[in-house]
Amino acid sequence: DTGVSQNPRHKITKRGQNVTFRCDPISEHNRLYWYRQTLGQGPEFLTYFQNEAQLEKSRLLSDRFSAERPKGSFSTLEIQRTEQGDSAMYLCASSFETQGNQPQHFGDGTRLSIL
Amino acid sequence: AQTVTQSQPEMSVQEAETVTLSCTYDTSESDYYLFWYKQPPSRQMILVIRQEAYKQQNATENRFSVNFQKAAKSFSLKISDSQLGDAAMYFCAYRVDYGGSQGNLIFGKGTKLSVKP
């Protein structure tokens, strides 16, 4: 169990640029979640995958955001035309779902700063 | 919509003492799951303890225990024999598990716990 891995750890970019983050879940985990955490707040749900299928998207996920999980393995989260308000920590979590109480394992996150 | 409220932005405890962190939530569901997560500075969020709503017995994990009051929609975390390594942000979370919302967590704003030597 190598844990959930996220890359990069930090990303600084200019407003209007596109950015892409990667998440590698724990290998046998079938569910993968993306959350966003702003300063002084708890994480907020963005989207989740069951294997390769994206099953739910939050209202926070505007049309500038897109997420993929090809082949049900790693996932990418892309933000197009970044805005100041996109500055946040983006967290990825994974779990192996059989029954509802399975905990989500979180990665270290990617901190995005928009200049 | 479900909400999670942590009314204590910051708490402080003396090493070896006991501290209780508060959490209340709002839901119309009868079956759900509650979690406490710990987030040390610049480190991963890790699970501390979890509680199934259908279980009346309060969950315990070593020095960590919860006081789950379902009718009052309260889920407090008690840390006994506090250690310096317990210093972190603590988040209470509610798990959505119905309809199309399956598994995502709703978090409170967190409580920052400081441990004094």
Side-chain angles (χ1 to χ4, degrees), chain B:
Chain B
Q2 292 85 3
T3 59
V4 176
T5 302
Q6 293 179 250
S7 58
Q8 306 152 316
E10 295 188 26
M11 292 283 285
S12 181
V13 62
Q14 203 74 31
E15 196 176 6
E17 297 294 308
T18 296
V19 65
T20 298
L21 308 184
S22 301
C23 173
T24 58
Y25 58 94
D26 188 24
T27 184
S28 58
E29 301 297 318
S30 58
D31 291 328
Y32 48 87
Y33 305 91
L34 296 164
F35 303 84
W36 278 97
Y37 277 88
K38 169 186 177 182
Q39 189 177 40
S42 301
R43 293 182 60 188
Q44 274 183 358
M45 191 170 311
I46 58 175
L47 178 69
V48 174
I49 198 165
R50 57 184 159 178
Q51 175 80 43
E52 292 88 345
Y54 64 86
K55 289 186 178 179
Q56 293 192 351
Q57 186 173 6
N58 290 323
T60 298
E61 289 286 343
N62 301 314
R63 298 183 295 109
F64 299 87
S65 61
V66 299
N67 184 3
F68 174 49
Q69 301 290 327
K70 191 172 183 179
K73 296 179 183 176
S74 172
F75 182 60
S76 61
L77 174 69
K78 185 171 83 172
I79 306 174
S80 304
D81 185 26
S82 297
Q83 300 176 359
L84 295 177
D86 294 334
M89 283 292 288
Y90 285 82
F91 292 98
C92 178
Y94 169 98
R95 180 188 166 110
V96 180
D97 250 324
Y98 66 91
S101 297
Q102 294 186 6
N104 56 287
L105 297 170
I106 298 173
F107 287 87
K109 290 188 176 183
T111 296
K112 183 178 181 180
L113 178 66
S114 302
V115 181
K116 298 179 181 178

Side-chain angles (χ1 to χ4, degrees), chain A residues 15-73:
Chain A
R15 184 168 52 91
Q17 298 294 306
N18 299 343
V19 294
T20 300
F21 313 138
R22 177 178 171 127
C23 171
D24 288 89
I26 294 171
S27 58
E28 66 269 22
H29 284 185
N30 54 358
R31 282 203 181 174
L32 186 147
Y33 301 83
W34 285 99
Y35 293 86
R36 182 176 71 184
Q37 185 178 20
T38 54
L39 202 61
Q41 302 292 321
E44 296 172 291
F45 169 74
L46 292 178
T47 188
Y48 93 96
F49 293 83
Q50 174 90 10
N51 300 311
E52 68 275 10
Q54 188 174 17
L55 296 185
E56 186 177 1
K57 292 191 281 188
S58 158
R59 285 190 299 259
L60 294 176
L61 212 67
S62 75
D63 56 7
R64 296 184 298 105
F65 288 70
S66 62
E68 295 182 343
R69 192 183 183 198
K71 302 179 182 179
S73 56

